[in-house]
Amino acid sequence: MKLYYSPGACSLSPHIILRETNTPFELVKVDLKEKKTEDGRDFRQISRVGYVPTLELDDGTVLTEGPVIVQYLAEKANATHLMPQRGTIEWYRMLSWLNFITSELHKGFGPLFKPTMPEEGKAFVREQLLSRIAHLDQHLADKPYIMGENFTLPDAYAFTVLSWARPLKIDLSGFKNITAYLERVGQRPAVKEAMKAEGLIK
Ligand SMILES: N[C@@H](CCC(=O)N[C@@H](CS)C(=O)NCC(=O)O)C(=O)O
């Protein structure tokens, strides 16, 4: 199995889950501007959408969309500790959080990476994003992880996208629960290994 990734991008979330589940995999770095893999292949020939994360299975099947890739990985590894039982209300709550992270947080950060986006537009996006971050901060007031007592799939994703706040100069220091949460998740061995492998920490 191959995970196509870009350092620190949203592909860090499935990368963490690959390590949390001890799944054997190969990491392939992608230059997202040039759409080239590190071994010189045309990335669009592998993933028509041209974005990471892209998972390539051993039979050549390609799977995209981070929130779906993490579910695939956890189910294949039978990692019942990383997700509630399918079909239960807790399962749907987990899907609800994955969807919140992808549509409200991940895609909320997106425009802030665009150098061509006017500052007025960025201010609007930032305000909206901060209100979504406040919602997660409140949710974390009485629990260490998004789903409660244990680290599950949405935590890898939330950790990944919230780590973009610092380089984008979004001050999270007022969100005490999130600050403690990022510290907690960042201490997990699988998270540290993934970040190290991507060259994000030493
Ligand atoms: N809908 C996709 C979006 C993935 C995405 O936004 N990937 C970014 C990196 S975080 C990317 O590869 N952008 C390059 C591009 O879109 O050309 C998902 O949720 O996995």
Side-chain angles (χ1 to χ4, degrees):
M1 182 182 299
K2 288 186 180 131
L3 177 69
Y4 293 88
Y5 83 105
S6 172
C10 49
S11 42
L12 178 62
S13 163
H15 185 182
I16 290 169
I17 298 304
L18 280 161
R19 291 179 188 270
E20 289 278 355
T21 53
N22 291 315
T23 304
F25 67 100
E26 194 186 318
L27 267 183
V28 184
K29 195 160 151 182
V30 178
D31 180 334
L32 288 172
K33 272 206 187 103
E34 300 299 325
K35 304 292 175 204
K36 284 258 179 234
T37 64
E38 60 188 334
D39 49 9
R41 288 176 294 150
D42 177 358
F43 183 49
R44 284 201 188 274
Q45 293 294 319
I46 300 155
S47 181
R48 228 178 309 158
V49 287
Y51 53 62
V52 297
T54 289
L55 189 73
E56 187 180 357
L57 308 184
D58 292 343
D59 68 359
T61 303
V62 164
L63 197 58
T64 61
E65 307 311 315
V68 174
I69 293 175
V70 292
Q71 290 174 64
Y72 173 83
L73 294 173
E75 290 204 306
K76 279 290 154 194
N78 198 21
T80 50
H81 59 293
L82 290 181
M83 57 191 176
Q85 194 184 342
R86 185 179 270 273
T88 60
I89 191 65
E90 286 299 283
W91 169 265
Y92 291 105
R93 280 189 56 234
M94 182 193 73
L95 295 186
S96 166
W97 277 110
L98 284 173
N99 206 64
F100 173 81
I101 297 162
T102 206
S103 57
E104 304 296 334
L105 299 183
H106 180 175
K107 288 299 154 182
F109 274 106
L112 302 176
F113 283 103
K114 300 260 176 275
T116 50
M117 171 100 173
E119 200 37 58
E120 206 177 70
K122 280 190 180 166
F124 169 78
V125 167
R126 218 176 271 123
E127 194 185 317
Q128 177 115 327
L129 180 59
L130 284 171
S131 80
R132 306 303 193 248
I133 292 174
H135 167 58
L136 178 59
D137 190 65
Q138 276 174 8
H139 176 74
L140 288 168
D142 58 356
K143 52 186 87 58
Y145 295 104
I146 289 178
M147 294 299 293
E149 287 307 308
N150 299 309
F151 174 93
T152 60
L153 302 180
D155 295 307
Y157 196 14
F159 174 83
T160 297
V161 300
L162 289 170
S163 68
W164 300 338
R166 189 177 291 173
L168 289 171
K169 299 189 174 36
I170 294 180
D171 182 13
L172 295 185
S173 62
F175 299 109
K176 299 291 176 216
N177 304 316
I178 284 189
T179 310
Y181 168 78
L182 293 177
E183 180 64 28
R184 189 175 304 126
V185 176
Q187 288 306 318
R188 295 182 69 80
V191 173
K192 283 188 182 170
E193 283 164 25
M195 292 181 80
K196 217 169 168 178
E198 295 196 10
L200 304 171
I201 55 172
K202 290 235 168 95

